[in-house]
């Protein structure tokens, strides 16, 4: 991974303009004779260049939320605004890394072709595509596997391909849905560092969804804590850890332990029925 | 990682035919030997069951006759033209019907009604229309093979993984790109399976049309040999048609493997 392959930074982190605005988002699944209120009322703002984690238990509606934000799912109420435009279909400036990474790659294409296809669709010229693809491949450490097919790679490597594809697309907002839930602990630690690394390098706004409290605290600049279903935001925790993080050092600091403890407590409280909106679920 | 669990049985079959090839050859040889001995020792009536060596000799003699090769050419031509028409029509219809949910619902019961009608039931009709012309065979072939392909393509088009679909949508692929890059590669294994099934069915219908209606080809020669009491020649032609069937099947499998190099039923996974 050499530094000079990094493209020129598009802009400095701008912490004042909102990149993503979610207002009063509500999603009720209807059909099959019963309604499921997956998300009740979510309001939050992510500023340009932030790395925000959303943590919530399984079934809290995290995937539902991301699908609404990415325009893949219609909202029941409220709205999502990306770069000042209301989202009604998948918007141009957004890339999603799905939970089921293995299934989101096209098995009939090589790693390189997988990453290149969205760029082709965007209308980039061949030379430009080749350069961006190579940069992304190098950045996620897949230089040697560029011409393999996804099914020839391990789970962690497949996830790297999905991430490289998203990064090469140069989205203004990158959404990640529990991307590391299915990889082993060591790979997971590496990929977490990769995400922070790419965030630094490509100055992209990241919304990272996870059910893992440690992961959320370790990665994020902010952590939004979700309640159980029907889902609301319990707390918006600012993560005061230093910018340079390391698996070994950061995770053993007192600050990390305190933050982790705090988030954990919120989730415990939620489990016992506490809701900020006063209702009982 | 398995992306398409639907082809699992196929994979198993492939492995079976591969490792048991030697065993299969021994089996075939044993039956050949048995059919040689039984007529010779009088257990089977030699008038109706000539020893296998005589059949083989007759077949080899046929290979030197230009008339035999003309018939082979006629049979293969009917097979190829019919199969091609059925392929093009089946794939086009399948893609269009499969991509439009309303159309799919609308045609579902019609397809279920028409599909089980055996193609041979159309023989009286095609005889009236075309007699012993090649068109008679083509209609029977196309009718039989079309459904095989159509049904497979319909399954294939419906088999797109929702995650892949979401991926394509989130990267704003145009409808054409979604078809070309997502729907078609997903459907391809089914298309090829349809092709393999249709290739076999097409040969059956071609020979049937030759034998029953008298469309020129190996089947008609077979009928003539049988009615003129040339028992050994009859058997030799049956064996020849069988060999063509095997070659067609090998050809279809070869195509399948070429087209689906990336597919789970063909590829070998390197890492788990
Ligand atoms: N398509 C759907 N139809 C009906 N209910 C759904 C659907 N998708 C998800 N749900 C329900 O919505 C809730 C939230 O699901 P999801 O967003 O997948 O949660 P998470 O990603 O946090 O685990 C769950 O109770 C789930 O059963
Ligand atoms: Mg989920």
């Amino acid at each position: 991974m050499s530094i000079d392959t990094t493209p020129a930074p598009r802009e400095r982190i701008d912490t004042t303009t909102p990149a993503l605005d979610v207002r009063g988002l509500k999603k009720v699944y209807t059909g099959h004779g019963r309604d499921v209120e997956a998300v009740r009322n979510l309001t939050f703002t992510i500023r340009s260049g932030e790395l925000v984690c959303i943590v919530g238990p399984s079934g809290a509606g995290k995937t539902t939320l991301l699908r609404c934000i990415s325009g893949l799912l219609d909202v029941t109420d409220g709205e999502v605004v990306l770069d000042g435009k209301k989202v009604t279909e998948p918007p141009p400036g957004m890339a999603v890394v799905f939970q089921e990474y293995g299934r989101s790659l096209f098995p009939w294409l090589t790693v390189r072709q997988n990453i290149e296809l969205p760029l082709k669709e965007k209308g980039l010229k061949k030379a430009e595509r080749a350069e961006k693809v190579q940069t992304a491949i190098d950045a996620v450490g897949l230089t040697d596997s560029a011409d393999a097919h996804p099914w020839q790679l391990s789970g962690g490597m497949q996830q790297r391909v999905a991430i490289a594809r998203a990064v090469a697309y140069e989205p203004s907002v990158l959404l990640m849905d529990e991307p590391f839930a299915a990889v082993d602990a060591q790979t997971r630690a590496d990929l977490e560092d990769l995400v922070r690394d790419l965030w630094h390098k490509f100055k992209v706004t990241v919304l990272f969804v996870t059910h893992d409290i440690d992961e959320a605290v370790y990665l994020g600049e902010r952590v939004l804590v979700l309640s159980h279903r029907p889902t609301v935001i319990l707390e918006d925790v600012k993560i005061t850890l230093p910018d340079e993080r390391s698996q070994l050092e950061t995770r053993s600091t007192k600050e990390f332990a305190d933050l982790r403890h705090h988030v954990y407590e919120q989730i415990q409280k939620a489990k016992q029925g506490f809701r900020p909106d006063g209702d009982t679920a | 990682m398995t992306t398409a669990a639907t082809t699992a049985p196929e994979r198993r079959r492939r492995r079976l035919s591969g490792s048991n090839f030697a065993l299969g050859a021994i089996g075939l040889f044993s039956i050949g030997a048995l059919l040689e001995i039984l007529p010779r020792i009088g257990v089977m009536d030699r008038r109706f069951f000539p020893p296998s060596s005589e059949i083989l000799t007759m077949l080899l003699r046929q290979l030197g006759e230009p008339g035999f090769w003309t018939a082979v050419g006629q049979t293969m031509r009917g097979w190829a033209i019919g199969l091609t028409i059925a392929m093009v029509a089946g794939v086009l219809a399948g893609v269009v019907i499969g991509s439009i949910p309303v159309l799919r619902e609308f045609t579902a019961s019609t397809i279920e009604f028409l599909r089980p009608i055996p193609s041979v039931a159309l023989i009286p009709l095609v005889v009236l229309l075309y007699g012993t012309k090649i068109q008679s065979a083509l209609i029977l072939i196309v009718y039989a093979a079309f459904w095989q392909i159509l049904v497979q393509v319909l399954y294939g088009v419906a088999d797109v993984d929702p995650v892949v679909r979401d991926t394509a949508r989130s990267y704003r692929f145009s409808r054409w790109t979604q078809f070309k890059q997502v729907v078609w590669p997903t459907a391809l294994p089914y298309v090829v399976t349809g092709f393999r099934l249709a290739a076999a069915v097409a040969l059956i219908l071609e020979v049937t049309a030759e034998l029953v209606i008298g469309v020129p080809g190996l089947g008609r020669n077979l009928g003539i040999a049988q009615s003129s009491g040339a028992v050994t020649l009859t058997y030799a032609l049956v064996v020849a048609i069988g060999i063509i069937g095997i070659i067609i099947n090998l050809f279809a499998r070869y195509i399948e493997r070429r087209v689906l190099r990336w597919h789970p039923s063909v590829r070998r996974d390197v890492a788990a």
Side-chain angles (χ1 to χ4, degrees), chain B residues 52-70:
Chain B
S52 47
S53 61
E54 282 178 21
I55 298 173
L56 212 61
T57 315
M58 176 59 89
L59 180 61
L60 289 175
R61 184 134 32 95
Q62 283 293 309
L63 295 185
E65 305 265 342
F68 172 82
W69 290 108
T70 311

Side-chain angles (χ1 to χ4, degrees), chain A residues 29-32 34 36-39 56-65 73 99 177-178 209 226 229 231:
Chain A
Y29 287 107
T30 52
H32 304 292
R34 88 196 174 103
V36 180
E37 187 180 15
V39 173
S58 263
K62 303 184 295 297
T63 299
T64 305
L65 169 64
L73 198 62
Q99 194 168 353
D177 186 7
E178 302 201 40
V209 164
L226 297 187
R229 214 158 50 80
T231 308

Side-chain angles (χ1 to χ4, degrees), chain A residues 176-245:
Chain A
M176 303 179 92
D177 186 7
E178 302 201 40
F180 312 142
V183 295
D184 61 273
Q186 181 54 51
T187 309
R188 185 181 185 135
D190 292 345
L191 289 171
E192 286 167 3
D193 288 333
L194 174 68
V195 167
R196 276 197 69 88
D197 193 35
L198 294 173
W199 174 64
H200 277 128
K201 208 183 258 172
F202 294 94
K203 316 292 177 212
V204 61
T205 311
V206 180
L207 180 58
F208 189 101
V209 164
T210 175
H211 65 264
D212 183 328
I213 298 165
D214 285 51
E215 184 168 75
V217 172
Y218 179 75
L219 277 180
E221 304 294 290
R222 265 165 75 202
V223 173
L224 304 177
V225 185
L226 297 187
S227 70
H228 276 272
R229 214 158 50 80
T231 308
V232 295
I233 290 181
L234 288 176
E235 207 190 338
D236 185 340
V237 184
K238 178 144 184 59
I239 300 298
T240 46
L241 296 171
D243 192 35
E244 281 301 320
R245 297 181 192 176

Side-chain angles (χ1 to χ4, degrees), chain A residues 67 90 103 108 121 151 166, chain B residues 161 164 166 172 174 177 181:
Chain A
R67 285 173 54 87
R103 284 163 54 200
W108 45 85
E121 197 60 11
W151 39 268
Chain B
D161 190 311
V164 167
D166 276 355
R172 299 167 58 83
S174 65
T177 307
Q181 300 287 352

Side-chain angles (χ1 to χ4, degrees), chain A residues 108, chain B residues 95 152-160 179 182-193 260 262:
Chain A
W108 45 85
Chain B
V95 164
Q152 289 293 327
V153 175
L154 285 178
Y155 278 129
V157 171
D159 194 42
V160 175
F179 172 73
V182 176
V183 176
W184 180 247
T186 306
L188 202 54
Y190 294 85
V191 174
V192 180
T193 302
L260 300 179
W262 52 271

